Amino acid sequence: MSTETEHPAEQSLSELEGEGDAAADFLEGLLDIADIDGDLDLDVRNGRAYVSVQSDGANPSLDRLADPDTVTALQELTRLAVQSRTGHYSRLILDIGGSRDARRRELEILVDRAVARLDEGASQASLPSMSSYERKLVHDIVADRGLVSESYGEGPQRHTVIRRS
């Protein structure tokens, strides 16, 4: 299995756009097979391809795909499809129906609860295990609140610990 270290350190905008196109092709085929309507939006941010699947209105089928575990699984499948087409590991981010914004709000609440534990006298506050992307979001949220964070553990047990600076 490929690791992130096999991924080029710096990808050009055109390479990242190519990842987005490959991801869109894969997702369009998947959505067609499942008979789910959705509009795809491609973007490049922070050195990653971002692919969003949205609908114009209430779409129960797309809403079910927006479940965080489902988004994570579909993201991994999409990354594998992109890797198959491009020959290198992809760090693309998939968003379905605003799932990433919803998850960021959940992580902000989680960080705020941890900060409250620090305010009550704890020397540090540990968060549950989460994906590397979610840990990155947590590190950004923690930094915005003027605190420091580090990740500990290996594999699926990797988690974030928050401290005052």
Side-chain angles (χ1 to χ4, degrees):
M1 175 149 216
S2 295
T3 63
E4 286 185 287
T5 57
E6 295 172 352
H7 189 358
E10 297 274 335
Q11 283 186 284
S12 70
L13 180 61
S14 65
E15 289 172 323
L16 291 169
E17 288 172 341
E19 280 191 14
D21 290 339
D25 290 345
F26 172 75
L27 289 165
E28 283 175 347
L30 193 65
L31 292 172
D32 284 346
I33 290 169
D35 197 27
I36 298 173
D37 291 325
D39 297 321
L40 293 162
D41 183 39
L42 308 177
D43 195 12
V44 173
R45 288 182 264 157
N46 302 320
R48 292 183 184 218
Y50 279 73
V51 180
S52 298
V53 182
Q54 305 292 331
S55 70
D56 291 334
N59 185 338
S61 297
L62 193 60
D63 291 345
R64 283 192 292 278
L65 290 181
D67 172 78
D69 291 334
T70 305
V71 172
T72 299
L74 287 172
Q75 177 175 277
E76 290 307 311
L77 285 173
T78 305
R79 285 178 172 178
L80 288 171
V82 170
Q83 179 178 347
S84 173
R85 187 158 150 187
T86 64
H88 62 81
Y89 179 79
S90 172
R91 298 177 345 146
L92 77 86
I93 301 299
L94 175 63
D95 177 61
I96 298 177
S99 60
R100 293 293 176 184
D101 289 337
R103 182 60 178 151
R104 182 178 176 90
R105 287 189 297 275
E106 291 171 1
L107 292 172
E108 288 173 342
I109 291 168
L110 195 62
V111 167
D112 289 341
R113 288 180 183 152
V115 170
R117 291 194 307 267
L118 295 176
D119 290 343
E120 293 169 357
S123 61
Q124 64 183 28
S126 295
L127 301 181
S129 302
M130 56 187 71
S131 72
S132 61
Y133 178 75
E134 291 174 328
R135 287 193 312 276
K136 161 86 171 85
L137 290 176
V138 165
H139 291 306
D140 292 346
I141 295 165
V142 168
D144 288 346
R145 286 168 173 67
L147 302 169
V148 295
S149 58
E150 293 181 68
S151 292
Y152 294 96
E154 297 295 324
Q157 303 307 315
R158 196 148 173 85
H159 64 282
T160 306
V161 176
I162 302 171
R163 294 184 189 81
R164 298 211 178 272
S165 43

